[in-house]
Amino acid sequence: MADISEGWSETMDAIEETQKICDQVKPQVEEKTKRCYEEFIAVKYRSQVAAAASFLIKVHVGGCSYLHLKLLQNAESQIVTVDVQEDHCKDDCLVPF
């Protein structure tokens, strides 16, 4: 059964638009984690639309390593990195945090 808590969509496979969002926030994520990523590939995502759009995205960063990103689209339509969870693996569920 899908976890659709707090208005979040079901987890879906990443699409081209998801990767474009990841490409935009990669420098923000690298600054937050103090790491540089050669690979930064969107794998899965969830979205929530309320006053502003929010996204949870699972990103493959090489080997067996994955990040979970929490992003927000602000009033100026810019995507901002709210939080990053490190040390995830391929099978970890993408849950709101």
Side-chain angles (χ1 to χ4, degrees), residues 12-95:
M12 298 173 275
D13 290 335
I15 57 176
E16 184 178 340
E17 185 62 29
T18 314
Q19 185 60 51
K20 286 180 184 178
I21 290 169
C22 285
D23 293 342
Q24 286 178 9
V25 301
K26 183 181 177 193
Q28 295 173 33
V29 172
E30 289 179 332
E31 185 176 323
K32 281 187 177 290
T33 62
K34 306 286 191 257
R35 297 180 183 199
C36 292
Y37 301 104
E38 289 187 31
E39 289 186 53
F40 205 77
I41 302 165
V43 179
K44 301 278 185 185
Y45 78 101
R46 295 176 75 175
S47 62
Q48 177 188 52
V49 179
S54 298
F55 305 93
L56 298 174
I57 303 176
K58 180 186 288 190
V59 179
H60 182 234
V61 292
C64 299
S65 298
Y66 291 79
L67 302 175
H68 286 185
L69 311 181
K70 183 175 185 179
L71 311 173
L72 177 68
Q73 186 172 18
N74 67 21
E76 293 80 34
S77 295
Q78 297 171 321
I79 305 293
V80 178
T81 303
V82 175
D83 202 359
V84 178
Q85 289 184 339
E86 299 180 79
D87 303 319
H88 279 282
C89 62
K90 181 180 180 180
D91 296 326
D92 287 349
C93 293
L94 191 55
V95 296

